[in-house]
Every structure is written in structure tokens, then in C-alpha cells.
Amino acid sequence: MSQPAPQAISERPPFWKLPQRFMPVVFAFYMAGIMAFLMCAVIVGAGTGLAGGYLGRVLSAYALAMPVAFVCVLFVRPLVLRLTMATLQA
């Protein structure tokens, strides 16, 4: 009995992967999510300390910061790409 070749199965991308054209939006989402969380953690810790309720305060700040950071990264990304290209050698 013959079985299908392994390449035939692996040629199709997983159903949960987005098309390549969404790369700028996915990049902005991950960048904003990570940076907003890190900044919230540092700013809340510096402002109110690491005492009880720290994680709750961080998550509360993150709920506001993440959407704002996401929109900002979407708008600033083209400028950052131009600045990067102007800075690097061809």
C-alpha cells in the first residue's frame, strides 16, 4: 500500500497562518503588545512600587496602553522604515 508523500502534506500552510500581506499589521500588533506591557510594568513599578496589587495595576494600565501603542506603531512604522533606510548604507 502506498502512502502520500510527506511533501504533499507540508506544501499547504497551516490554516491559522495569515497571508503575507498582513505582515505590517501583525508586526505592529506584536511590537505594541510587548512594548506596552514592558513599559506599563516599569512605569507602574517606579510610580507605585512592587507591593500588593502590582500585577493588577500593570494590567489595568496595559488595557489602555496596548490599543494606543498599536495605533501609534501602525502610523509611525512608515516613518521609521524611511529613517532606517536613510541611516543604513545601500
Side-chain angles (χ1 to χ4, degrees):
M1 295 187 193
S2 71
Q3 295 180 354
Q7 290 104 355
I9 296 171
S10 64
E11 288 178 12
R12 188 173 39 183
F15 72 93
W16 53 269
K17 288 203 171 191
L18 296 172
Q20 190 70 25
R21 69 179 181 271
F22 291 109
M23 194 274 297
V25 176
V26 172
F27 174 85
F29 178 78
Y30 287 133
M31 177 65 81
I34 293 167
M35 290 304 297
F37 183 78
L38 293 173
M39 294 303 299
C40 287
V42 169
I43 293 169
V44 167
T48 62
L50 302 176
Y54 169 73
L55 184 59
R57 292 190 310 272
V58 169
L59 294 176
S60 178
Y62 182 74
L64 172 64
M66 171 51 185
V68 172
F70 179 63
V71 170
C72 288
V73 172
L74 283 175
F75 282 111
V76 172
R77 185 179 177 276
L79 172 63
V80 172
L81 287 173
R82 282 194 299 272
L83 290 171
T84 301
M85 295 310 294
T87 305
L88 299 175
Q89 293 179 1

